[in-house]
Structure formats: C-alpha cells, structure tokens
DNA sequence: TCCTGTCCTGCGGGAACCCGCAGATTTTGC
DNA sequence: GCAAAATCTGCGGGTTCCCGCAGGACAGGA
C-alpha cells in the first residue's frame, strides 16, 4: 500500500507523513509532493490509489489536482485535509467527486486522533468521512433559507468574473430577462438589500455588492474565481 | 525579555516557540496566543514589547491586531510571519505601521535560518527586516505601470464593497465625475479591457471585472474587504 | 380537466454606469 | 514667476442594470 501526500507546507507535510505511518502500519511507502501539479505527476507515476491532500496550494490547488487525478483513475481514494470549510471549497469538492468514489474531508484543526481515524476509514474501509463542521456547511448550502441552488451559484460565479448580463445569457443559453430574474433571487438570498447605515437607497451597486457579501460569507473565494476564469478562457478560446 | 507569539496553527506555533528560544537565548518567557483577539489581550496584560505574529487568523487577523497593539504601544516590535506576500497584505501592513516603529515581514516558506536571523535583527538590533520577495511586491505596488496609487486603491476597496459611485463620492468628499475619473484610471491599470475571447464589446461589466482581476492578482483579498466592511459599518453607524 | 406553482420570456421605464469634451483649479518643475 | 501637467468638476449621450407587470410553457395534484 502506497500513500501520496500533497501539501505545500513543510511542517504540515512532515506531520502528515508521521501520522500516516502511525495510522497505517501496512503502508509500505509514503510519497510526498509540494503542490498540486507535482501531486498529479506523482499520482500518475507511482500509480497510487491513496492520496491525502491539502486544498489551497500555489501551483495548482487541491480541487483541480483531484479533478485530473480522478479523471484518470476514478477509484482513487482521496482524503482532503484543509484549514477551511468555506462553502466554496465544500461545493468545489462535491462538484468533482466521481460516482461512487470514496473520499474524506477533515479540517486541520481537528485532533490527531480524528485524522488517523479518517485515514483508516477512507483508505482501508473505503468509507467516506466528512468532518461534522464541513457537513454543517454542506447542509447549510442545501437549505433553502440561506443556501443557493446550483443555478444561482453558477450565476454568482459568472457575475464575480465580471461578465455582463448579456454575456451570461449567451453562455447559459438563456434570455436576458431570465438572467436578471436569477440575479434578483441571488440578491434576495444574499441579503444584498441590508444596509449598514440608515439611508438605504442608492448606496449599493447590487451586482458588485453580491460578490462582496459572497466573499465575506465564504460562499465564494479567490481560488473559485480563478478556476472559473480559467474555464472561461478555455471555453472562449476554442 | 518576553516574546509573544500570535499564531492560530498549532504546528506553526510550536515551531515558532522553538525557533524563538533557539534564536534568543536571553528570552526569559515565551507567551502564546491562538488568534488576534487573544493576542491583543496578552500584549496588554503581559506588557510585552516583542511580538511575532501571523497574518490571516480567524478571530481577528494580524493586521487588525497589530493596529490596536501599536495604537497602545507604538514602540512594540512586531515580526510578521505569513504564508503569503499578497499585495493586499503588504499594503495593509504598510498602512498601519506607526512612524519610526520597527517591524519585519518574513514568509513561512523562508528557511529557519532566515527566520532566526530576522528574530534577532528585529528584536535585538531594532532593524526592519523585509523578505526579498515581499519587498518585490512593495516595489511593484509603487511602480507606475502595474501599481495603483493610494487613492486608486481606496476607490478599488470601495467598489469591492459594492458601493455606488454616488456613495463613494459622498464618502470621499468628491464629485460624482471625479469618482468616475478615478475609476477609469483603475480600469486601465487593471487591464480590465483585455478580453479572453475575440468579441470584446459588452462582455464585461467593468466595475465587477475590476474586482475580479484585483482578486486574481492578489491586489485585494477577502480579509481586506472584510476589514473595509467593518470600517464602513462603523463610520455609517455613528 | 382544471388549478396552482415554478420557470422562461418580452416590454417598458427609471436609475446607475461609462466616458468624451471642455473649462476651472491645483500642483509641479524650471 | 510662469508654463506644463495633473486633478476636479459639470454637461450630455449611449449603454447597461434593476425590476414591476404580464403572458406563455410545463409539471404535479385534486
């Protein structure tokens, strides 16, 4: 049994390696990679089926790396080990996990015990393990009250990219008015109309404000926008 | 000599504590805090003049904590130890360091030697130590080509908050047209007019696009926006 | 079958945005 | 002290955005 560690922080990498050896005595080899790009390469070379990996890395972040790895070997077991439970990350992971694949999501703030347990559960028992807190974010993102539907989320991303209503309509094969309807739903769900002061009319540009509160609430983050930007360039460039 | 460590990651905190003891044998006491809020409290209680601290923490980030600490004791020596050299962080730090204060900024990716050297330089020699890479970002942010002036940066932040032209004009005591002029400079400097595809007209909402590229280029980041949001609420609420 | 809820679509208008033009004011350099 | 450069400001227009109103398509339930 081989395990690949993909993590850019040296301290965390060492800690992970030690935890893996302790939790999985049957593990014969621990390979390390310091960013997503090298992680993909190592996974290809070493033919490893067990990966523990950080989200948020420089060269290529965990979500993108996982996507290409899973595209090549959908049965790979991946344990995500991240600092944050941002909705953007949780949603990003859920979006790419293939049918029937086993994976885990534990926070770095969790205890070492939890980490080791998750390592065994995911790699040996093929069980999906998602931290309670992360699951909370999942739930919330599905709840009708504060949560955005998938369509609304996609619109939000397009807006955050800086696209025009017209451009979005074209990309999504919708009429201009439909895009604007979805935007209105978005504005309501994000509480864009709430105002810090007392005078409430004309203080906010709703479109930009929506991006702002989405960032504050971690519904969006910079890496999600960068990913969308690359997708946009690709689809526009062909 | 007492040293206060403010860092939310347990592994990094332990590593820092060890580095401090190794680099500063004359250091009698090492105090630790796990977020900015507790860091402020500890600095007040322990009357410590030497702080090493992470930016990007949960409860209160390093920039805000440093601001209040320096407000109470401007002669405090602070060494920032951060993962990133985002322009937003560099600018945020530069904005709050008081006249004549000594501080340092080293990246977590730097070697342990560099860290220890910086500890001695800042705390013992009262010298400012800024990592080469960070200084590069500083330079770039001052260069006329890609860099934004302070006024332009403030406008950018207001736009990222989702404010209207009119609202910005009011806040900044400018006419509507002046705000729009500044915005145009901003659009040019951020290359907002560049287009991924071939059709270039009407694809982008310049205002939102500006925020998008500012985020991608790390000129802005989420914590800078959150800080500005709090400032806004405060100034609007009084 | 009809009713109800949800989604897409067009129309229209008021507001906000983007920006060229041009005069006034301030700052800068020599 | 004066000219050049940079900023601030108003005007006017074309465009986009925000959204109420209303009609059409389609699914599920009584």
């Amino acid at each position: 049994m081989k395990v690949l560690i993909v993590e850019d922080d040296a301290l965390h990498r060492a800690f992970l390696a030690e935890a893996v050896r302790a939790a999985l005595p049957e593990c014969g080899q621990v390979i390390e990679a310091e960013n997503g790009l090298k992680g993909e390469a190592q996974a290809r070379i070493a033919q490893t089926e067990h990966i523990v990996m950080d989200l948020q890395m420089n060269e290529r972040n965990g979500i993108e790396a996982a996507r290409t790895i899973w595209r090549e070997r959908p049965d790979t077991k991946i344990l995500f080990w991240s600092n944050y439970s941002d909705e953007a990350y949780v949603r990003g992971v859920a979006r790419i996990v293939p049918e029937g694949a086993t994976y885990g999501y534990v926070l770095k703030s969790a205890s070492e015990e939890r980490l080791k347990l998750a390592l065994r559960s995911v790699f040996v028992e093929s069980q999906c393990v998602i931290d309670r807190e992360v699951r909370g974010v999942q739930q919330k993102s599905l709840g009708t009250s504060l949560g955005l539907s998938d369509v609304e989320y996609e619109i939000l991303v397009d807006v955050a990219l800086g696209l025009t209503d017209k451009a979005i309509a074209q990309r999504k094969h919708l009429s201009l008015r439909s895009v604007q309807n979805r935007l209105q739903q978005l504005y309501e769900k994000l509480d864009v109309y709430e105002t810090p002061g007392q005078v409430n009319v004309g203080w906010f540009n709703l479109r930009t404000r929506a991006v702002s509160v989405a960032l504050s609430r971690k519904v969006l983050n910079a890496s999600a926008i960068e990913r969308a930007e690359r997708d946009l360039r690709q689809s526009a460039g062909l």
Side-chain angles (χ1 to χ4, degrees), chain A:
Chain A
M1 180 182 191
K2 283 179 292 187
V3 174
L4 169 62
I5 293 174
V6 188
E7 161 71 67
D8 57 348
D9 186 294
L11 255 54
H12 288 172
R13 202 162 54 233
F15 170 77
L16 261 190
E18 193 191 358
V20 167
R21 286 186 207 282
L24 301 165
E26 64 268 53
C27 166
Q29 195 181 359
V30 177
I31 313 168
E32 301 186 5
E34 69 216 40
N35 63 46
L37 210 57
K38 294 188 182 175
E40 291 174 15
Q42 287 291 346
R44 206 171 295 128
I45 294 169
Q47 294 283 322
T48 172
E49 291 178 325
H50 308 89
I51 302 180
V52 38
M53 147 156 100
D54 192 8
L55 308 167
Q56 187 174 43
M57 291 176 291
N58 275 332
E59 279 312 307
R60 180 163 311 187
N61 73 35
I63 293 181
E64 293 176 294
R67 182 161 55 175
T68 77
I69 289 170
W70 264 330
R71 194 143 41 203
E72 297 173 9
R73 308 181 106 254
D75 54 340
T76 309
K77 291 163 187 144
I78 304 184
L79 176 61
F80 296 101
W81 192 55
S82 168
N83 260 319
Y84 309 102
S85 56
D86 292 2
E87 190 176 331
Y89 281 137
V90 174
R91 209 181 265 269
V93 169
R95 180 182 303 278
I96 60 161
V97 43
E99 193 76 19
T102 81
Y103 76 102
Y105 193 136
V106 322
L107 295 178
K108 288 189 179 177
S109 57
S111 70
E112 196 167 340
E113 289 319 304
R114 279 247 288 284
L115 172 61
K116 288 179 182 170
L117 209 67
L119 283 168
R120 287 210 70 81
S121 300
V122 173
F123 290 164
V124 182
E125 315 287 344
S126 292
Q127 253 186 311
C128 287
V129 175
I130 284 101
D131 248 9
R132 171 188 278 92
E133 195 182 337
V134 176
R135 189 158 280 293
V137 174
Q138 270 185 356
Q139 302 293 327
K140 182 167 65 78
S141 81
L142 295 177
T144 51
S145 61
L146 276 167
L148 307 184
S149 70
D150 279 352
V151 266
E152 286 160 352
Y153 183 74
E154 287 184 20
I155 289 274
L156 173 61
V157 172
D158 281 352
V159 169
L161 278 178
L163 292 174
T164 316
D165 289 6
K166 206 193 314 182
I168 298 175
Q170 194 165 325
R171 260 165 74 78
K172 292 283 188 314
H173 305 292
L174 288 172
S175 78
L176 194 62
R177 191 60 179 90
S178 297
V179 172
Q180 294 176 336
N181 275 337
R182 293 188 174 180
L183 273 175
Q184 278 184 258
Q185 299 173 232
L186 201 60
Y187 297 154
E188 280 187 28
K189 292 214 182 165
L190 287 176
D191 271 345
V192 162
Y193 303 100
E194 172 230 16
T195 70
Q198 54 283 39
V199 191
N200 54 353
V201 201
W203 266 103
F204 285 126
N205 174 318
L206 300 181
R207 160 174 299 251
T208 317
R209 181 65 180 166
V211 176
S212 179
V213 317
L215 285 168
S216 290
R217 298 215 187 143
K218 316 287 190 187
V219 176
L220 274 182
N221 60 21
S223 76
I225 295 181
E226 285 171 37
R227 252 179 293 140
E229 172 89 26
R230 274 191 285 275
D231 287 352
L232 171 65
R233 278 178 193 285
Q234 198 170 332
S235 70
L238 53 82

